[in-house]
Amino acid sequence: MSTSDHSDAPAPVPSAGSFAVSVPDLSDADLEAEELDPAQIVSGDPVVTGKVLWEAPDGSQVRGIWQITPGVVTDTEANELFVVVSGRATIAVEGGATLEVGPGSACVLREGDKTTWTVHETLRKAYHISY
């Protein structure tokens, strides 16, 4: 490869005006209250908060931060990759695995997975969802 061949050069980093977002500290970023359907609550009094950091113009992808306080809830998942920032939970996937997640855990859930989340310590995660 010659010095003028840039085919292997990394893609340019987008400017803040296009879609780059920076959150200096995920562990204490301000989050906004989100509704939790009472029918999803199995036990406890969990509270959900979150913040969307980026959403595709067509709504097909969303990236953000999400948090839930202790309790047990059910959910039907989207295609999601998340990394736990803080807290601990057990996620039981109906007909599948039971996942123990904590700080640094990365998890992939599939669209349509039915899950039961037992949140032991307030759980905060950074996520990417594809619809």
Side-chain angles (χ1 to χ4, degrees):
M1 171 170 81
S2 72
T3 56
S4 62
D5 181 2
H6 298 287
S7 60
D8 290 333
V13 175
S15 69
S18 57
F19 71 83
V21 174
S22 175
V23 177
D25 187 352
L26 290 175
S27 64
D28 88 17
D30 289 332
L31 306 180
E32 299 167 9
E34 294 185 6
E35 284 194 41
L36 180 61
D37 181 349
Q40 291 180 263
I41 300 172
V42 175
S43 68
D45 189 22
V47 174
V48 174
T49 54
K51 180 175 191 167
V52 171
L53 300 175
W54 177 84
E55 184 169 352
D58 66 358
S60 64
Q61 299 179 62
V62 179
R63 297 173 187 153
I65 305 167
W66 183 85
Q67 179 172 288
I68 186 169
T69 62
V72 180
V73 298
T74 60
D75 199 10
T76 301
E77 303 298 336
N79 285 320
E80 179 179 7
L81 163 67
F82 68 84
V83 176
V84 176
V85 175
S86 60
R88 298 195 179 282
T90 303
I91 306 167
V93 180
E94 186 177 285
T98 297
L99 311 168
E100 297 292 335
V101 299
S105 296
C107 185
V108 175
L109 297 171
R110 298 169 301 178
E111 183 175 2
D113 279 345
K114 299 204 180 300
T115 56
T116 300
W117 292 63
T118 302
V119 181
H120 310 292
E121 298 170 9
T122 297
L123 183 99
R124 181 175 285 217
K125 66 181 182 177
Y127 67 86
H128 174 95
I129 295 174
S130 299
Y131 294 102

